[in-house]
Amino acid sequence: MTAVSRPRLAGIPYVREVVREVAPVPAAEPSDAEVARRFCAGDEQALAEAYARWAGQVHGMAVRAFGPGPDAEDVTQQTFVAAWTGREGYSPAAGPLPAWLVGICRHKIADTWAKMARQRRSAEAAAADARSRPDPTDTTRVDDAVADRVLLLGELNRIGQPQRRIIELAFFADLTHTQIAARTGIPLGTVKSHIRRTLERLRDRLEVDGAALHP
């Protein structure tokens, strides 16, 4: 997975920082049960152990839900951050640690799907509202930004990663180019070029659709 620069979370080191900073695992590796016990006790070495052992399983679930790319990586990171910050809610007696991580991952996947659905519904509602309000100066004129959002809903299924993730962050999360670059770890120039090329395709489609409606 591609490393993404993240800030520390309320005094708790971010998962990747912990994995990098904690001393290497001794040759005699602890059992899963021992890792779980130390994880509950707040041992950062156990967090590093847990990430090394089960991040692949968690990431595989996320990839099956969203495909390879930033969405799957975000869900993987969110899972381990949530597990670490909420470790007091885990009891080794209730089951193995990887099973608990899988449960958290399922919730994060569901949360991400729900967030995407809300964003799409909001965009669709905004587009429908804009269409219902004719421009008093020119009823045939369509605002470029609104047209881009309407066509974007259909275009998302046609583009791959990371372009899709970039466009979703730009249009649905209203992030700036700089914020998108920081969020995804993609160079700022690449973010701008992806957005520019996608908008050019959208405008080309808009012109074709307009010509078809007004022969």
Side-chain angles (χ1 to χ4, degrees), residues 56-190:
Q57 179 182 358
V58 171
H59 184 251
M61 290 179 58
V63 167
R64 287 193 293 274
F66 303 107
D71 288 325
E73 293 177 5
D74 283 350
V75 166
T76 302
Q77 299 295 348
Q78 291 168 16
T79 297
F80 279 90
V81 170
W84 181 248
T85 57
R87 59 187 179 276
E88 292 182 358
Y90 169 69
S91 171
L97 182 57
W100 188 60
L101 292 171
V102 165
I104 294 176
C105 183
R106 289 197 181 105
H107 284 295
K108 294 303 178 183
I109 289 172
D111 289 345
T112 300
W113 277 122
K115 180 180 178 181
M116 289 179 174
R118 288 194 300 270
Q119 290 171 339
R120 290 193 176 96
R121 286 196 298 269
S122 177
E124 290 169 348
D129 183 63
R131 290 196 300 270
S132 69
R133 297 180 182 179
D135 187 337
T137 61
D138 183 1
T139 57
T140 63
R141 182 171 167 269
V142 180
D143 182 83
D144 286 343
V146 173
D148 286 343
R149 278 180 176 263
V150 174
L151 291 177
L152 182 63
L153 295 171
E155 191 72 10
L156 282 176
N157 291 329
R158 305 185 184 193
I159 61 178
Q161 298 290 2
Q163 292 90 338
R164 173 171 177 165
R165 177 63 169 170
I166 291 172
I167 293 300
E168 286 177 338
L169 291 174
F171 282 82
F172 297 141
D174 293 325
L175 298 186
T176 66
H177 293 174
T178 301
Q179 290 171 330
I180 294 172
R183 174 75 179 273
T184 61
I186 297 172
L188 179 60
T190 303

